[in-house]
């Protein structure tokens, strides 16, 4: 998996985030272009490798994660955590709330099917 991550990071416009299909016991290399398919075809691992075509590249999903994190201005929402959901070719944003202006803002900025939202309270500092 580590080598698949490095491959994906080296070709972020041609590949997306890899993942492990634990049910089938396969490493899944996700591709968005012909060049990505060539890179994936030459990848070798100790477990079976499946190549899967997806719509969104690693660079696009990383852009969402990097630009969405933090306070969201007038919407009074904080995106306090972001991470890839590689199996579904999207990102997950953990947010403090879901007011309509925030949802509208997200839908205008990004492909709505590329984002999943989880409402979770802001993590509190632990007592020392």
């Amino acid at each position: 998996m580590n080598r698949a991550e490095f491959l994906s990071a080296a070709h972020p416009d041609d590949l997306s985030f890899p993942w492990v299909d634990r049910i089938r016991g396969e490493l899944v290399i996700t591709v968005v272009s012909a060049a990505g398919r060539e890179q994936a075809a030459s990848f070798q691992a100790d477990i079976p490798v499946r190549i899967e075509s997806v719509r969104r590249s690693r660079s696009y999903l990383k852009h969402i994660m990097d630009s969405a994190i933090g306070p969201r201005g007038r919407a009074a929402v904080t995106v306090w955590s972001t991470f890839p959901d590689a199996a579904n070719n999207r990102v997950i944003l953990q947010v403090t709330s879901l007011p309509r202006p925030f949802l509208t803002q997200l839908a205008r900025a990004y492909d709505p099917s590329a984002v999943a939202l989880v409402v979770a309270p802001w993590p509190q500092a632990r007592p020392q």
Side-chain angles (χ1 to χ4, degrees), residues 6 10 23 57-58 70 86 106:
F6 282 122
I23 294 171
S57 69
R58 180 187 185 106
L106 279 180

Side-chain angles (χ1 to χ4, degrees), residues 38-94:
E38 286 180 28
Q39 290 293 327
S42 66
F43 187 83
Q44 295 185 3
D46 295 334
I47 63 172
V49 175
R50 181 171 86 227
I51 299 171
E52 193 171 273
S53 292
V54 295
R55 289 182 33 207
R56 292 175 287 275
S57 69
R58 180 187 185 106
S59 61
Y60 179 68
L61 296 177
K62 182 98 171 74
H63 165 71
I64 295 172
M65 291 187 296
D66 292 346
S67 62
I69 195 83
R72 301 303 295 182
R74 294 177 291 171
V77 173
T78 297
V79 177
W80 62 271
S81 177
T82 67
F83 49 94
D85 175 7
N88 293 298
N89 192 228
R90 65 183 181 181
V91 297
I92 297 176
L93 308 179
Q94 290 187 308

Side-chain angles (χ1 to χ4, degrees), residues 60 63-64 67-68 72 74-75 93 99-115 117:
Y60 179 68
H63 165 71
I64 295 172
S67 62
R72 301 303 295 182
R74 294 177 291 171
L93 308 179
R100 183 172 287 294
F102 171 68
L103 296 174
T104 302
Q105 179 185 14
L106 279 180
R108 287 184 179 149
Y110 314 114
D111 171 2
S113 67
V115 178
L117 302 168

